[in-house]
Amino acid sequence: ELRDEPEGATVDFLNLRAEFAQGLELEPGSYHLEVSADGWASQRVWIDLEAGEEKRLSIPLTRIRAPIASG
């Protein structure tokens, strides 16, 4: 299970040709994920799964601040 912040962020595998979905069953191994959303700094993380393991992850993103206009 992956909790993303902001809600509705996009989650992509960078080393696997599969579409991410909650509850997706994966083979044991290492997976590289990217979480992104418009207006937020994306984040890339590696996760390792062992046989029969269930992971619960929370990957909060940081809001990108708009540049302050001068003048």
Side-chain angles (χ1 to χ4, degrees):
E1 176 183 341
L2 176 67
R3 291 186 48 205
D4 49 345
E5 188 179 313
E7 191 172 316
T10 301
V11 181
D12 293 307
F13 289 104
L14 299 177
N15 67 332
L16 180 68
R17 290 185 181 200
E19 189 171 316
F20 178 85
Q22 293 290 356
L24 178 67
E25 291 190 24
L26 298 169
E27 295 293 321
S30 296
Y31 298 93
H32 198 188
L33 299 176
E34 180 177 52
V35 182
S36 61
D38 288 339
W40 299 76
S42 63
Q43 190 167 182
R44 293 180 176 187
V45 297
W46 280 95
I47 60 166
D48 294 315
L49 293 177
E50 296 180 16
E53 181 180 19
E54 289 187 26
K55 287 263 188 187
R56 295 185 194 279
L57 301 172
S58 178
I59 303 175
L61 302 181
T62 303
R63 183 174 286 285
I64 298 173
R65 296 181 183 197
I68 298 173
S70 59

